[in-house]
Amino acid sequence: MTAHDNSRTASGKHLWIVGGGIAGMAAAAFAIRDAGVAGSNVHILEESGLPGGSLDGAKSPTLTDGWVTRGGRMLEDEAYLCTWDLFSSIPSQGNPQVSVRDEITAFNKHVPTHANARLFGRDHTILPAADYGFDTRDRLELGRLIASPESTLADKRIDQMFGKHFFSTNFWQMWRTTFAFQNWHSAIELRRYFLRFVQEFSRINTLSGVRRTVYDQYDSMVLPLHLWLGLHDVDFRFGQRVVDAAFTNGVDRRIARLSVETDQGHADIDLGDDDIALLTLGSITSDSTYGGQDTPPELIRSHRDHGWSLWETVAQKAPDFGHPEVFLNVDENKWESFTLTMHDSVLLDRIVNLADNKPGTGALMTWVDSGWLMSIVVPHQPHFPHLPAGDSTLWGYGLLVDKLGDHVPKTMAASSGREILTELIGQLEFDSILDHVLETTDVTTVMMPYASAVFSPRAPGDRPLVIPDGSTNFGFLGQFTEIPEDVVFTVEYSIHGAMQAVYTLLDVDRAIPGIYHGAFHPSVDLHAIESAFK
């Protein structure tokens, strides 16, 4: 594990972190490891009762024998430099002598990803995913987008940048479902993804560049980090919702007070002269709801769990604190996931044989003509460390939840877990085992109103800087801050922002890993160009 020099101390400072997701936890770790802040002086205020935010993995809240993750996070060697920097210092749960980073590296050597079945067509045959399907116009439009400065793409949608044919290509079906892009999402974000992950152009058909954790990312990343922070006496305060922050006026801007709501009532936290506050803004899993075997998940539109409330309040205080309303279009950003808990191997064995991939070695399999645009992935088993012997799980999702299914005449949003499983079995053409699978499988569904909100068409200023101009003691964290050139909807973005905030406000004399630019490497460019002409 990597060691760092903590000789410079900031032991007298208190760090107040609003939000116990990966961004807030990473900020706490960097403050302790690299800035010398005493762990007991780091306070994490979290409304829920668990750390980790959107990185989850647990027993199903709707089914006694079910398990669930709302979503999955893919990692990568080249682009996730801040993530690897952090987890090189965090001992793994399985072996405290090994870092989380080294554990992930060893696991992926043992269980490498190389998908043999990425796309299925209308006749249920496996499509030749290595044939990306571009025509000359597609290539020209792709090059035009990449060459366009962001300043020219404000509020532009992806479907304004490409002709109809591009959206029918194998490449787009793989790219959009891998990263959860809708055709109407931000052209700026797609351009950033093309540049940030240009190394994936030549391997999107196999996802061989993907790195995965041993178990679900709550158990493999959140719990080890939470344990490390606990061993350093970090003050986690669960059940505390920060509802407002009082900012001082003037050239030097600072937060003077945080207003908190708890079950016991209202409280104010007055910040000392040397104290620092970091506020997490927005949430892609805010107002998530769960469905079960016979019930669909509810779609919430009313900000019931307060995931956006603090940003909406703070944004009224200064024009450079962002515009949360830009990201709150539920109908353009919602999608639904499902986790199957299979109590025997019948369905799993059939999928493994169809895809020609052992569990954990494949990638998303997508039915490109399915009404719901359904995709599934089979992780290495067991995906949850406490999964009972003989059980296995898989995860899937649909991007088009308001469309009718092909085997179930209902929208995905209105379908129960059994109905979603029935639709999946129909797409797989496993009708002969439908009754058995329905009897032996628990299905937990999750509706997420803001799952793709990070990709909303936007303009400069819609997301605030991590450290706003003039700030002397505060910063913003999470997926809705602005980090030039980096890409949202990744663990890396949250950790990169946390590192930037802590290093800037605590004057850490250590370089932040630079953003990987694959386009600067001739071999990467060559592979990308070759793949575009397949």
Side-chain angles (χ1 to χ4, degrees), residues 208-343:
S208 58
V210 165
R211 301 293 177 262
R212 294 190 173 100
T213 53
V214 178
Y215 299 111
D216 64 278
Q217 290 178 0
Y218 181 81
D219 287 287
S220 290
M221 299 180 81
V222 173
L223 281 186
L225 181 54
H226 184 223
L227 177 62
W228 188 90
L229 294 172
L231 291 173
H232 286 78
D233 298 322
V234 169
D235 174 28
F236 279 89
R237 301 186 185 185
F238 295 110
Q240 300 207 5
R241 177 167 72 96
V242 177
V243 297
D244 202 355
F247 294 82
T248 61
N249 296 317
V251 176
D252 293 333
R253 306 158 79 185
R254 67 186 310 274
I255 289 179
R257 183 173 60 256
L258 298 173
S259 297
V260 182
E261 296 287 348
T262 70
D263 289 341
Q264 288 72 44
H266 180 88
D268 287 330
I269 298 173
D270 294 315
L271 272 64
D273 291 341
D274 293 328
D275 290 356
I276 289 169
L278 300 176
L279 315 183
T280 303
L281 304 180
S283 169
I284 61 173
T285 51
S286 177
D287 288 324
S288 295
T289 57
Y290 296 85
Q293 298 284 74
D294 301 306
T295 56
E298 179 187 4
L299 175 60
I300 298 174
R301 299 178 180 271
S302 57
H303 296 354
R304 192 179 297 171
D305 71 1
H306 313 116
W308 292 84
S309 301
L310 178 61
W311 189 14
E312 290 178 308
T313 298
V314 167
Q316 303 301 314
K317 299 176 184 288
D320 62 337
F321 286 179
H323 305 109
E325 67 277 5
V326 168
F327 305 95
L328 295 177
N329 188 324
V330 170
D331 290 318
E332 290 194 353
N333 293 312
K334 67 179 185 291
W335 46 264
E336 184 175 351
S337 71
F338 56 93
T339 304
L340 306 187
T341 305
M342 299 166 283
H343 300 300

Side-chain angles (χ1 to χ4, degrees), residues 53-64:
S54 296
L55 295 183
D56 64 344
K59 291 294 297 290
S60 168
T62 59
L63 298 169
T64 302

Side-chain angles (χ1 to χ4, degrees), residues 121-138:
R122 187 175 298 279
D123 58 357
H124 301 279
T125 58
I126 298 174
L127 297 178
D131 179 2
Y132 288 5
F134 291 135
D135 63 17
T136 299
R137 179 177 174 178
D138 297 330

